[in-house]
Amino acid sequence: MPTSPEMKRKLFVLIVENNQVDSRMLKGMLEKTAYGSFDLDCCSCLADACRRLENNTYDVVLLDLNLQDSRGLDTLGRIHHQFPHLPIVINTGAYEDSMGLKAITSGAQDYLIKGKYLPYGLSKALYYAVERKKAEQDLKAAYNHLRETQAQLIQAEKINVIGGLASGVAHEVKNPLATILYGIEFLYTKFEDTDDEQIHVTLNAIQEAAVKANRIIKDLLDFASLSSLQKRAEDIHSVIDHALTLIHHQCEKFSIDIQKKYAPSVPEIYIDRNRIEQVILDLTLNAIQAMPRGGALKISTQVKFFASDDDGFARPPSCSINIGDPVVIVDIVDSGEGISAEYLSKIFDPFFTTKRAAGGVGLGLSIARTIMHNHQGLISITNMADGGVRARLIFKR
Ligand SMILES: Nc1ncnc2c1ncn2[C@@H]1O[C@H](COP(=O)(O)OP(=O)(O)O)[C@@H](O)[C@H]1O
Ligand SMILES: [Mg+2]
């Protein structure tokens, strides 16, 4: 019988077998077979198997279901649960078709009956289990990527629709609002000398309301024009420093201590300076608003290679940052109360806010995310273990 190309590689196999005689027989078969080659390790109980699996990287495990410390499908369930990426071939004396099917649907790659196979069949089962598991993992990864992409597309579409609607309304409201603001200016000069306190109070109230409405309209129009960027090579520290000068007063007012920790030499990154300043402003303002009784606002930068634990958030389909890519990371950490679990999945939604009563509009984070994604960058918001929130921006260098 010919040996297929995938059977050329040596496999490291853990044999978990209760019965000494069976164990010796398996070793004999695999050591002498002309079909494939194997490094073998043996043990006889589940506890020992788990210990070995934790300390070594096996290609595949050949598993007897009935051991001293675990029986039946429970044995499979426990190993599969603890080592989900490990290919498992069941090797059992209990011949039951329904059991075989259950084992396959519970995570095993194959189900062999003792005494019913020859060395070739056994070798093939082990090699094919490895290949099948690999295909299964690839399929799972592709499926997850597809779901992530789908979620991102839905989000992008939502933002598109809302952005389109909102900017339509904003355009309509912008001019009447400008008329109101000019009108107030005019009335101010007209009533400059009046002693009627009531008129001053009313004019102030109208002006405040109109200024607030104008700010919302400006946000909405910004939102609709986010895709046009003017990127240049910029020093991120100078962008952060400029944003900090704008929030300096707020920090003094709320007794917030700004603590900067910049990486010693950060290369310039290719960004639209104004947009990124807007992102940093949005994030620092959120941080300040989360600390009404004072606290610390820590801003730090790092230059590094992107690692798997740097993100923990969905990537947009257009994102080109991969593990190992050189990146610049900006962290903005506050010592507020953090974000409750029920809100965490909503904070990037346009118009989601928990500050409605205080005038929050809920566009800050969705704008920030759109800007970061238009830079092929990433943004994440996570609760810190010791309280507070970390907002993280990741730029490709
Ligand atoms: N640093 C933070 N600490 C606590 N909650 C936060 C923080 N940043 C954002 N959030 C939550 O996310 C929501 C959405 O933020 P954002 O989009 O900036 O809108 P807004 O600030 O107008 O509410 C906030 O209302 C708040 O509940
Ligand atoms: Mg905000």
Side-chain angles (χ1 to χ4, degrees):
M1 255 171 286
T3 305
S4 51
E6 62 271 18
M7 288 174 78
K8 296 232 157 68
R9 184 168 76 88
K10 193 173 209 176
L11 290 188
F12 189 18
V13 184
L14 177 64
I15 299 175
V16 187
E17 177 55 68
N18 195 29
N19 183 318
Q20 293 292 314
V21 179
D22 288 348
S23 185
R24 266 199 298 279
M25 198 181 70
L26 285 170
K27 273 183 89 172
M29 273 181 157
L30 291 172
E31 274 164 3
K32 291 193 196 87
T33 182
Y35 312 109
S37 63
F38 302 92
D39 255 346
L40 302 173
D41 203 358
C42 299
C43 66
S44 61
C45 68
L46 184 72
D48 195 6
C50 289
R51 242 189 327 272
R52 285 169 198 251
L53 287 167
E54 257 163 35
N55 296 324
N56 301 288
T57 312
Y58 296 95
D59 291 306
V60 52
V61 57
L62 189 57
L63 181 68
D64 184 3
L65 289 181
N66 292 326
L67 307 171
Q68 296 151 7
D69 53 351
S70 175
R71 299 190 72 75
L73 286 178
D74 226 22
T75 311
L76 168 64
R78 283 158 71 179
I79 292 211
H80 180 55
H81 178 74
Q82 209 176 330
F83 306 96
H85 301 297
L86 178 74
I88 303 170
V89 174
I90 304 293
N91 177 48
T92 180
Y95 180 67
E96 261 180 68
D97 276 345
S98 64
M99 176 89 129
L101 273 177
K102 258 192 219 146
I104 298 298
T105 51
S106 310
Q109 300 305 317
D110 209 342
Y111 186 85
L112 307 180
I113 308 298
K114 287 181 186 174
K116 303 266 181 197
Y117 47 78
L118 297 169
Y120 178 70
L122 178 60
S123 307
K124 201 172 78 137
L126 292 173
Y127 275 96
Y128 281 22
V130 171
E131 294 301 316
R132 216 174 290 134
K133 187 74 187 181
K134 203 165 134 274
E136 182 190 302
Q137 305 280 18
D138 289 351
L139 200 65
K140 251 192 206 144
Y143 176 70
N144 286 340
H145 184 67
L146 198 68
R147 284 194 50 164
E148 243 169 45
T149 308
Q150 186 193 29
Q152 290 292 334
L153 283 176
I154 290 173
Q155 183 66 16
E157 186 52 28
K158 247 197 316 202
I159 290 183
N160 255 345
V161 171
I162 294 174
L165 265 176
S167 78
V169 173
H171 271 294
E172 294 299 324
V173 175
K174 200 171 73 167
N175 292 339
L177 205 54
T179 311
I180 295 175
L181 284 166
Y182 284 128
I184 299 167
E185 291 296 326
F186 171 73
L187 290 176
Y188 264 128
T189 48
K190 199 81 189 147
F191 289 105
E192 209 168 17
D193 304 327
T194 178
D195 304 331
D196 189 338
E197 185 64 15
Q198 200 63 29
I199 289 183
H200 286 291
V201 171
T202 309
L203 276 179
N204 278 341
I206 298 177
Q207 192 181 37
E208 245 173 52
V211 165
K212 182 176 164 195
N214 205 36
R215 208 194 63 226
I216 295 174
I217 294 299
K218 195 180 151 296
D219 276 355
L220 287 177
L221 287 172
D222 269 2
F223 196 62
S225 68
L226 289 178
S227 49
S228 59
L229 297 178
Q230 297 187 340
K231 291 197 209 167
R232 281 191 194 90
E234 301 279 2
D235 165 25
I236 187 72
H237 291 160
S238 91
V239 179
I240 301 173
D241 286 339
H242 191 252
L244 289 181
T245 57
L246 300 177
I247 58 157
H248 186 70
H249 277 299
Q250 296 278 79
C251 287
E252 272 189 353
K253 185 168 156 196
F254 293 104
S255 317
I256 289 165
D257 180 27
I258 299 181
Q259 299 169 13
K260 290 198 282 186
K261 204 167 142 203
Y262 290 168
S265 59
V266 173
E268 291 191 323
I269 48 176
Y270 203 60
I271 53 173
D272 182 324
R273 185 183 176 95
N274 292 326
R275 293 300 190 198
I276 295 305
E277 184 177 305
Q278 184 182 352
V279 171
I280 290 165
L281 269 180
D282 277 336
L283 298 178
T284 45
L285 282 175
N286 278 346
I288 293 170
Q289 287 155 3
M291 300 182 285
R293 283 173 296 281
L297 176 61
K298 295 184 190 157
I299 303 195
S300 59
T301 55
Q302 301 173 57
V303 181
K304 60 180 300 226
F305 294 99
F306 189 61
S308 59
D309 56 351
D310 283 334
D311 54 3
F313 36 74
R315 282 151 196 245
S318 63
C319 179
S320 56
I321 299 184
N322 295 307
I323 309 294
D325 282 349
V327 289
V328 172
I329 296 185
V330 178
D331 282 338
I332 297 170
V333 178
D334 64 57
S335 58
E337 288 187 350
I339 302 172
S340 72
E342 59 174 317
Y343 295 147
L344 259 181
S345 62
K346 302 200 178 95
I347 53 173
F348 285 103
D349 285 352
F351 303 108
F352 174 81
T353 178
T354 53
K355 306 172 206 159
R356 187 83 62 206
V361 183
L363 278 176
L365 288 182
S366 60
I367 290 181
R369 177 152 85 171
T370 306
I371 293 175
M372 286 307 291
H373 286 184
N374 288 343
H375 278 83
Q376 274 77 51
L378 296 171
I379 176 169
S380 73
I381 303 278
T382 25
N383 281 318
M384 303 290 285
D386 53 351
V389 163
R390 181 193 75 190
R392 169 166 282 190
L393 305 176
I394 304 181
F395 300 93
K396 207 167 173 175
R397 299 190 245 141

